[in-house]
Amino acid sequence: MSSESKEQHDLSPRDSTEGNDSSPSGIHLELQKESSTDFKQFETNDQCRPYHRILIERQDKLDTNFREFVIKKLQKNCQCSPAKAKNTILGFLPILQWLPKYDLKKNILGDVMSGLIVGILLVPQSIAYSLLAGQEPVYGLYTSFFASIIYFLLGTSRHISVGIFGVLCLMIGETVDRELQKAGYDNAHSAPSLGMVSNGSMLLNHTSDRICDKSCYAIMVGSSVTFMAGVYQVAMGLFQVGFVSVYLSDALLSGFVTGASFTILTSQAKYLLGLNLPRSNGVGSLITTWIHVFRNIHKTNLCDLITSLLCLLVLLPTKELNEHFKSKLKAPIPVELVVVVAATLASHFGKLHENYNSSIAGHIPTGFMPPKVPEWNLIPSVAVDAIAISIIGFAITVSLSEMFAKKHGYTVRANQEMYAIGFCNIIPSFFHCFTTSAALAKTLVKESTGCQTQLSGVVTALVLLLVLLVIAPLFYSLQKSVLAVITIVNLRGALRKFRDLPKMWNISRMDTVIWFVTMLSSALLSTEIGLLVGVCFSMFCVILRTQKPKSSLLGLVEESEVFESVSAYKNLQTKPGIKIFRFVAPLYYINKECFKSALYKQTVNPILIKVAWKKAAKRKIKEEVVTPGGIQDEMSVQLSHDPLELHTIVIDCSAIQFLDTAGIHTLKEVRRDYEAIGIQVLLAQCNPSVRDSLTKGEYCKKEEENLLFYSVYEAMAFAEVSKNQKGICVPNGLSLSIV
């Protein structure tokens, strides 16, 4: 093999990390099946059209200082007119827009049917989830009632069901139990063992001048958390920071809900067995709870255990039948309500509490308690807990509302959803309620039963109102084990996510890892820490993807101006002496070394070539000294002075979203290293942000020739023409003063 052909072979593209390049429409490429291939060369006169520069005139930027900008914004937002006032009111109260246009004949039947069924389902679930939140059953009914009414007035989604959500109830319950322990309450006594709260104030119920018992203090804590969560959500709406939810990816939310479901199941295990155990809090509470359960399993109440098994045998098959035949059933079978009624009657007439000491719901009062301001002394203690609760509640509500709006062909406003869910927490917090959000299971039921508008929420509220005013005391004998079974059965959807893991793994391994990390941390550590770990790990994965991005050498698709990866597709054409390199990531301080190493590996390494030249020059000097008469070695001269066949490297910047200072310095360094061995570096397809960064970073001198190109094809044509005309490489530089 001759030295020229050997050098040509050395400069051919190697099998490298290629980008995810998709073939353009109308151009058929055959995917590469082998790691190496022979590349077809093409002649300039036949394949490359005459070189023409693309000139684009930049828009003139308006010179406005910060003060003028602020003044204009204030003038725009502070001006008031009848039209603006009307739009503001209609925007804040969507009911004023859609209710006057309500089609009674078309929508009323579906809204009444769906609202009635969801209301029937909410009665047992509200009572059951109250235990999860550490509250008395009546407070769960209050929460669902007020949330349905307020979302009817403020919400923009026609289909979501806002009310009690299991994960939020779990987070509320953990906060409530922690504050109960700090206040000196224990599980054996309803009165506090200490007469003082952690801040030193007396535990007094100011509405009745009596000592506040455990349930009273629990709802005080729950209402305070709910109030703060609502304030955060409304504040996010005011400052339009809904972007916070974008950091909660679908994989992260799914893993978080699944991990929290294990914690919910664990917290309900003691009710299934009829055990009187303290609730474990903090890191590792799931493991601690199971240790307590197995240590006390000999104290299992057989009556509660048998009741739990019977309820499971009824609920699980019926739920599966509902799901299997949901397309044929006009409405799902309200099996939960049937089980609650049957279990209440059996407990009442069988006197299970008196005869077998079975744990029951107890007295559920009728009517509404007088409103009460949240306990301000508790706000500092629960303010941090409310942050995670507010973000999770908002993210789930917005994601569900957008999903169903897209499915049914209408739009929702994320900011208004923040206001709606925020006021669904702020206002009810004055009426002894705890945090709410949209819930997927009830939303699916609502949609499948014919819901058309938000009016179905009013029907749901009327069902709950009937229970609160008349029926609630009849649930006195309902066993807590029945409520625990209802809670656990409703976790099926979250636990079934494990079946989707193989498909998720095939689509995105990174998302699967995020799912597992979030799920395990939420289950084994705590819900709040699990959410934080999930967010941090998810962001780390984003950084990791840009730290080692994909890169490739490009070739020209025949009879087109399209360039694709030579490692991914066959029959691509390459120019002799020109290498085209694509880097699929922003160029910044994290991946700058990866950029350089990939570029040097896939083209030529200028540092190694300079070292080789220096060694050859030293050998030549030594041989000149040794050889009499100055006879030179031809090979040394050739190594020292012969130019490389590669004369131009074109960097395709189309996938580089931005540059930082480290990225600009890297490009300068790369250009300087290649200039030293006679290779020019051209930049192509830089977006405006990258161009501005190059200008501000003084990538080139003003007097240098304009070598910034709007297409890779243009850069390649320029390199070929300049090589043919001058016979040498043009000075490398960049001038961004485009006319």
Side-chain angles (χ1 to χ4, degrees):
M1 182 182 293
S2 65
S3 61
E4 181 179 351
S5 61
K6 185 176 186 299
E7 186 177 2
Q8 170 95 12
H9 177 74
D10 291 340
L11 294 177
S12 64
R14 300 293 197 274
D15 187 24
S16 62
T17 307
E18 69 268 7
N20 289 332
D21 304 310
S22 58
S23 59
S25 175
I27 298 174
H28 302 283
L29 300 178
E30 185 178 358
L31 281 172
Q32 190 69 274
K33 295 181 180 178
E34 299 179 359
S35 60
S36 62
T37 183
D38 295 330
F39 299 104
K40 180 180 178 182
Q41 305 292 338
F42 62 93
E43 298 297 330
T44 303
N45 295 333
D46 297 334
Q47 298 291 336
C48 187
R49 70 181 185 184
Y51 166 68
H52 297 288
R53 286 309 302 264
I54 300 174
L55 299 178
I56 299 179
E57 187 174 357
R58 295 290 295 271
Q59 289 279 7
D60 294 332
K61 293 184 178 180
L62 298 176
D63 295 330
T64 56
N65 58 36
F66 180 74
R67 181 181 176 183
E68 293 177 353
F69 174 78
V70 171
I71 292 174
K72 287 182 179 180
K73 280 286 185 181
L74 290 175
Q75 288 176 346
K76 181 180 178 181
N77 294 327
C78 295
Q79 287 178 349
C80 186
S81 65
K84 187 173 182 179
K86 179 183 177 182
N87 291 334
T88 302
I89 295 172
L90 292 177
F92 185 72
L93 294 172
I95 186 176
L96 300 178
Q97 292 179 325
W98 63 263
L99 190 59
K101 304 174 184 177
Y102 187 81
D103 191 337
L104 193 65
K105 292 182 180 180
K106 181 181 177 181
N107 299 330
I108 190 64
L109 183 61
D111 286 340
V112 170
M113 179 63 72
S114 63
L116 185 64
I117 292 170
V118 172
I120 292 171
L121 294 176
L122 267 177
V123 172
Q125 289 186 17
S126 298
I127 297 173
Y129 285 153
S130 297
L131 297 180
L132 188 60
Q135 308 295 339
E136 294 296 323
V138 69
Y139 299 133
L141 296 171
Y142 288 164
T143 301
S144 296
F145 170 77
F146 283 106
S148 299
I149 291 291
I150 296 170
Y151 192 82
F152 160 73
L153 298 172
L154 301 177
T156 59
S157 175
R158 304 172 191 171
H159 293 90
I160 66 170
S161 175
V162 175
I164 290 182
F165 180 53
V167 175
L168 295 186
C169 289
L170 172 68
M171 299 173 77
I172 290 286
E174 291 174 345
T175 304
V176 167
D177 284 347
R178 186 196 68 215
E179 294 303 316
L180 286 175
Q181 290 178 4
K182 287 169 62 176
Y185 290 94
D186 55 38
N187 287 332
H189 302 89
S190 61
S193 58
L194 298 174
M196 307 289 287
V197 194
S198 58
N199 61 5
S201 61
M202 292 297 295
L203 295 173
L204 292 177
N205 186 327
H206 300 291
T207 61
S208 58
D209 295 329
R210 64 179 176 82
I211 297 296
C212 184
D213 62 7
K214 183 179 178 180
S215 65
C216 167
Y217 192 70
I219 193 57
M220 286 169 55
V221 176
S223 298
S224 301
V225 176
T226 300
F227 176 79
M228 286 306 301
V231 168
Y232 290 144
Q233 288 164 341
V234 171
M236 285 192 289
L238 287 173
F239 293 104
Q240 298 184 353
V241 290
F243 66 88
V244 172
S245 64
V246 304
Y247 295 102
L248 306 179
S249 65
D250 291 340
L252 187 149
L253 279 176
S254 176
F256 173 75
V257 171
T258 303
S261 297
F262 282 108
T263 307
I264 293 172
L265 188 151
T266 300
S267 68
Q268 299 301 297
K270 64 179 181 180
Y271 297 114
L272 297 179
L273 302 175
L275 299 176
N276 186 16
L277 300 176
R279 185 167 181 169
S280 299
N281 289 316
V283 177
S285 59
L286 182 138
I287 298 174
T288 306
T289 301
W290 282 112
I291 291 174
H292 289 160
V293 168
F294 284 111
R295 282 180 178 175
N296 294 274
I297 200 168
H298 61 281
K299 300 178 183 179
T300 299
N301 188 306
L302 291 179
C303 179
D304 285 335
L305 178 60
I306 293 171
T307 303
S308 301
L309 293 175
L310 290 174
C311 291
L312 280 172
L313 290 175
V314 174
L315 283 172
L316 279 176
T318 312
K319 286 277 190 178
E320 292 297 328
L321 288 173
N322 273 339
E323 186 170 340
H324 187 72
F325 295 104
K326 62 182 178 181
S327 60
K328 299 180 180 179
L329 293 172
K330 293 184 179 180
I333 302 170
V335 62
E336 292 172 333
L337 186 63
V338 173
V339 167
V340 165
V341 172
T344 303
L345 292 174
S347 177
H348 176 72
F349 290 106
K351 296 184 178 180
L352 301 183
H353 176 61
E354 292 81 359
N355 295 334
Y356 303 102
N357 196 28
S358 180
S359 179
I360 59 174
H363 176 64
I364 303 178
T366 57
F368 292 91
M369 299 175 67
K372 183 186 177 188
V373 176
E375 189 65 36
W376 303 117
N377 294 326
L378 289 170
I379 297 298
S381 302
V382 301
V384 176
D385 302 280
I387 295 175
I389 292 172
S390 64
I391 293 175
I392 288 294
F394 159 67
I396 291 174
T397 301
V398 171
S399 61
L400 285 179
S401 61
E402 289 180 343
M403 179 176 70
F404 284 93
K406 183 178 180 181
K407 181 178 180 181
H408 291 276
Y410 62 94
T411 59
V412 294
R413 289 180 285 131
N415 252 19
Q416 182 60 29
E417 288 298 300
M418 273 194 286
Y419 291 136
I421 201 64
F423 282 106
C424 280
N425 289 321
I426 291 177
I427 297 174
S429 69
F430 291 86
F431 294 91
H432 312 279
C433 300
F434 48 91
T435 314
T436 59
S437 74
L440 177 60
K442 291 185 283 292
T443 300
L444 289 172
V445 171
K446 190 173 181 179
E447 182 213 21
S448 63
T449 51
C451 175
Q452 300 295 323
T453 67
Q454 295 92 316
L455 189 65
S456 62
V458 176
V459 181
T460 299
L462 291 175
V463 174
L464 294 168
L465 182 63
L466 178 64
V467 174
L468 282 167
L469 296 179
V470 180
I471 305 175
L474 300 179
F475 295 114
Y476 174 86
S477 300
L478 179 60
Q479 292 171 268
K480 290 184 178 180
S481 58
V482 177
L483 301 175
V485 170
I486 292 174
T487 301
I488 291 172
V489 169
N490 283 302
L491 299 176
R492 294 174 307 121
L495 298 177
R496 280 177 175 170
K497 294 294 183 181
F498 285 96
R499 298 193 307 189
D500 300 332
L501 289 182
K503 183 178 179 181
M504 187 189 298
W505 179 260
N506 291 331
I507 296 173
S508 174
R509 296 184 178 183
M510 191 71 76
D511 281 348
T512 310
V513 174
I514 292 172
W515 189 93
F516 263 110
V517 169
T518 308
M519 185 271 295
L520 291 174
S521 57
S522 299
L524 299 179
L525 300 177
S526 70
T527 50
E528 293 85 355
I529 295 177
L531 178 63
L532 181 62
V533 169
V535 171
C536 294
F537 185 76
S538 182
M539 296 177 70
F540 171 74
C541 289
V542 173
I543 297 173
L544 189 64
R545 289 176 179 179
T546 61
Q547 184 177 1
K548 293 186 177 180
K550 295 181 179 180
S551 60
S552 62
L553 290 177
L554 306 182
L556 182 66
V557 179
E558 190 175 1
E559 297 181 356
S560 74
E561 297 182 5
V562 176
F563 291 82
E564 290 292 351
S565 170
V566 296
S567 298
Y569 299 100
K570 290 183 176 181
N571 303 323
L572 299 180
Q573 301 170 339
T574 59
K575 274 285 194 179
I578 301 174
K579 299 290 185 184
I580 303 169
F581 177 77
R582 176 182 290 166
F583 189 72
V584 190
L587 181 55
Y588 63 126
Y589 70 99
I590 288 180
N591 60 16
K592 62 177 184 177
E593 293 301 326
C594 179
F595 170 81
K596 286 178 61 178
S597 62
L599 178 61
Y600 290 172
K601 180 180 179 181
Q602 297 184 54
T603 56
V604 293
N605 192 325
I607 298 175
L608 296 181
I609 290 177
K610 285 191 289 185
V611 171
W613 283 359
K614 288 180 180 179
K615 289 182 179 179
K618 289 181 180 179
R619 286 200 304 269
K620 186 187 75 169
I621 294 173
K622 290 181 180 179
E623 290 173 359
E624 286 179 350
V625 172
V626 173
T627 305
I631 302 174
Q632 298 180 359
D633 187 273
E634 294 183 0
M635 182 60 69
S636 298
V637 174
Q638 182 181 4
L639 288 174
S640 300
H641 300 288
D642 276 3
L644 296 172
E645 182 176 348
L646 178 65
H647 59 80
T648 302
I649 293 175
V650 179
I651 300 178
D652 179 5
C653 301
S654 60
I656 300 178
Q657 295 95 338
F658 64 87
L659 298 170
D660 67 352
T661 53
I664 296 171
H665 290 319
T666 301
L667 288 176
K668 289 180 178 179
E669 185 178 347
V670 164
R671 186 186 66 176
R672 184 175 62 249
D673 289 343
Y674 278 115
E675 275 185 342
I677 61 172
I679 297 175
Q680 66 175 345
V681 177
L682 310 180
L683 304 182
Q685 298 192 146
C686 299
N687 63 45
S689 172
V690 172
R691 291 195 197 100
D692 291 342
S693 298
L694 292 171
T695 303
K696 295 174 182 177
E698 297 179 349
Y699 176 77
C700 63
K701 298 177 182 178
K702 292 182 179 180
E703 63 271 12
E704 289 180 319
E705 187 178 357
N706 180 8
L707 295 179
L708 179 68
F709 299 91
Y710 286 96
S711 71
V712 176
Y713 193 90
E714 181 191 12
M716 185 184 69
F718 173 82
E720 185 67 18
V721 170
S722 63
K723 177 68 175 177
N724 292 337
Q725 287 179 351
K726 300 180 182 179
I728 57 172
C729 294
V730 298
N732 192 22
L734 181 64
S735 176
L736 298 182
S737 55
I738 302 172
V739 181

